[in-house]
Every structure is written in C-alpha cells, then in structure tokens.
C-alpha cells in the first residue's frame, strides 16, 4: 500500500501555495505603491450603490452625472449629501481653474464637495484680490523661489517686515515725521497677524499652468513647494514625472504637512476624507486593470 500523498492533494497544496504567493505579492505591492490603502475614510457604501445604479440627476441643473455634478459642485440625487463626509479644514482654500480644464476630469471639485465652506473655485481670469493680504496667503507652486511648508510662518513674517521697510523708504518726508511713520509702521508690523489663513492652488494641466502662475495678481504671494510624493492619478500626463500630483492630492498632502509642520500636531487622518471620492474612483479603475484578478478568482472558486 502506497503512503505517498495522492496527486489531487498535491495539486490542491500547490494551488493554495500559489494563491498565498499571489496574495502576499499583492499586499507587498499595495503597501509599497498605494498610499490610498491606509486612509481613515467614511463608509463608501453610498458610492458603491450609486456605481451599481449608474448615472443620476443633479438636483440643481438636472444634468445626468455619476456621483456628483462637477458643474454645480453638489452630489447627485442617488448620493444623499448626509451620507458623504464633511471635512473641517484649518484654513481657507482658493482654487484657480484654467478655463480649458475639463470639468469632468478635474479633481478640484472633490475638495469643494467635501469641505464646501472652506473651499472656493474660480475660473481664470477671475482671481480674488490678494494684494492687501499677501502676509497671510500663499500659493502652492514649485520653483526656485518656493519654500517648504515648515518655513511658511518665517517667510510670511519676513514678507511683512519687508513691506514695512518699503513704506519707510519715503525719503521726501522730514526726518521727524519720517521717524514717527517708521515707529507707526513697526507697531503695525508687530500687530499684523502673519499666520497663514489661505492657501491657493492652480487647477490645470502642467502645460497650462504658466498662464495663471505668471499673472501679476499672484506674483506677490509666497510660493510653497510640497515634499516629493508620487501621484496615484489614473490620468497621468504624458512626459511628466509621477511626482506631478493631481489637484486633490496636492491639497491633501499640503494639509497633512501643514498639520504636522505648522500646527505641530500628530496627524490622525483628519483630512483623509478629502480623498473620499478620489480613492473610490482610483480603486474602481485599479480593479478594472488588475491582471491578477482572474487568476485569484480562478484559485478561490
């Protein structure tokens, strides 16, 4: 009588072993390449149901949309507003959108949907007036003059002091009057709050950003550059590195850095729900493209 393991058991063990290898490989890959996996998100069940039911009507304009109306900045009929998260932000956000940016492809609307009272979207050439408030507003944009998030407060204070010195450079005034003006400006500088209150983002393809960035209305703003991070965006721009983020990613990562570097508080997922729609859509597209899915299903059937 043979004591060897039956052939069908060997095949089953090999299948199980192969399945474990696939699962481990996928887990390792996810941990290394998908930062969206460990977010603290509200339940996305409402999005799953909406995705199964298909497009729905916008209650404002009547347009047929999936999940939300990118024109009116509201969820559609089959995504009740009370079932999507509401995110509280530590400062205001202005988004300047290029007129040629396709509304349906822009992720900027996610921020407006999830933090409506903190976010405003403007279509260029419409830009708010920042000149009198440039000591409390900054623009997220990379470049040789950009500073890191942790250095924002220092540079805003410096900017305020330079502004005071500029006012004191009026040599036509008599010395006594000029001295009083300098003292007044110095007091104004000390009283002026240089805490960052608003952050500005440009929403466009990278090839279109120059037109907005070089607008004179933005030239006086402090430029801030984010730490290098890889995008998860499924509409990656050809010829651009994977460190070029989508608008909602840039907003999210800025707030995470602001929370730890400026507020000096431990980050516990306070802004993760800004990626509520983004992470769901990313997962849908990832599942559709995943080459290992068929093999995994075959082994588990």
């Amino acid at each position: 009588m043979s004591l060897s393991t039956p052939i069908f058991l060997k095949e089953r063990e090999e299948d199980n072993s192969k399945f474990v290898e696939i699962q481990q490989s996928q887990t390792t890959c996810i941990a290394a390449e998908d930062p969206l996996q460990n977010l603290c998100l509200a339940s996305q069940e409402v999005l799953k149901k909406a995705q199964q039911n298909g497009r729905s009507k916008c209650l404002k304009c009547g347009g047929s949309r999936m999940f939300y109306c990118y024109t009116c900045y509201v969820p559609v009929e089959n995504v009740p507003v009370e079932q999507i998260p509401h995110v509280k932000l530590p400062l205001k956000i202005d988004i300047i959108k290029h007129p040629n940016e396709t509304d349906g492809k822009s992720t900027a609307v996610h921020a407006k949907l999830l933090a409506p009272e903190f976010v405003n979207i403007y279509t260029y050439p419409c830009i708010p007036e920042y000149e009198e408030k440039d000591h409390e507003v900054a623009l997220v944009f990379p470049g040789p003059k950009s500073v890191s998030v942790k250095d924002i407060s220092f540079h805003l204070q410096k900017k305020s002091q330079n502004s005071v010195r500029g006012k004191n450079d009026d040599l036509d005034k008599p010395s006594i009057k000029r001295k009083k003006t300098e003292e007044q400006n110095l007091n104004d500088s000390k009283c002026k709050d240089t805490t960052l209150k608003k952050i500005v983002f440009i929403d466009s393809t990278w090839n279109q950003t120059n037109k907005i960035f070089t607008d004179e209305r933005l030239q006086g703003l402090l430029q801030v550059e984010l730490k290098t991070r890889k995008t998860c965006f499924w509409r990656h721009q050809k010829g651009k590195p994977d460190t070029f983020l989508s608008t909602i990613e840039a907003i999210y990562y800025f707030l995470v850095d602001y929370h730890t570097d400026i507020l000096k508080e431990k980050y516990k997922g306070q802004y993760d729900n800004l990626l509520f729609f983004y992470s769901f859509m990313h997962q849908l597209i990832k599942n559709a493209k995943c080459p290992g899915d068929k093999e995994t299903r075959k082994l588990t059937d």
Side-chain angles (χ1 to χ4, degrees), residues 58-167:
C58 170
L59 296 176
K60 278 193 174 183
C61 69
S64 177
R65 305 280 189 266
M66 178 67 81
F67 304 130
Y68 54 81
C69 179
Y70 45 75
T71 306
C72 303
Y73 307 143
V74 294
V76 292
E77 191 173 23
N78 66 359
V79 181
V81 67
E82 62 272 12
Q83 292 186 36
I84 65 173
H86 186 89
V87 187
K88 185 177 180 181
L89 305 184
L91 38 66
K92 300 285 188 178
I93 291 176
D94 281 354
I95 301 171
I96 315 298
K97 189 170 78 71
H98 194 281
N100 293 337
E101 181 72 3
T102 305
D103 290 339
K105 294 182 178 180
S106 170
T107 61
V109 64
H110 297 180
K112 182 63 177 175
L113 283 160
L114 298 162
E117 62 265 53
F118 295 95
V119 178
N120 284 306
I121 300 177
Y122 303 89
T123 300
Y124 188 81
C126 180
I127 294 179
E129 182 56 62
Y130 299 121
E131 188 175 358
E132 296 299 319
K133 297 181 179 180
D134 61 0
H135 58 282
E136 57 187 39
V137 182
L139 169 69
V140 172
F141 199 84
K145 295 182 180 179
S146 298
V147 304
S148 64
V149 173
K150 65 182 177 63
D151 292 329
I152 288 176
S153 297
F154 170 78
H155 285 280
L156 286 179
Q157 180 67 41
K158 188 176 178 182
K159 193 178 186 66
S160 178
Q161 291 171 349
N162 288 341
S163 176
V164 170
R165 290 194 189 98
K167 291 179 181 179

Side-chain angles (χ1 to χ4, degrees), residues 198-227:
K198 182 175 287 186
I199 189 73
V200 181
F201 293 85
I202 296 174
D203 182 44
S204 74
T205 63
W206 281 96
N207 291 332
Q208 296 172 335
T209 54
N210 194 56
K211 183 177 181 180
I212 299 177
F213 172 67
T214 55
D215 191 289
E216 60 181 7
R217 291 169 291 180
L218 298 179
Q219 293 308 295
L221 298 183
L222 177 69
Q223 287 176 233
V224 179
E225 187 165 4
L226 301 177
K227 296 175 184 176

Side-chain angles (χ1 to χ4, degrees), residues 6 11 22 27 71 82 92 106 115 156 165 179 181 195 232 240 257 261 276 289 296 298:
E11 291 176 348
I22 291 172
T27 301
T71 306
E82 62 272 12
K92 300 285 188 178
S106 170
L156 286 179
R165 290 194 189 98
K179 185 175 181 180
T181 302
T195 303
C232 292
K240 302 299 181 185
D257 292 345
D261 295 342
F276 179 74
K289 292 180 177 179
T296 302
K298 183 176 71 176

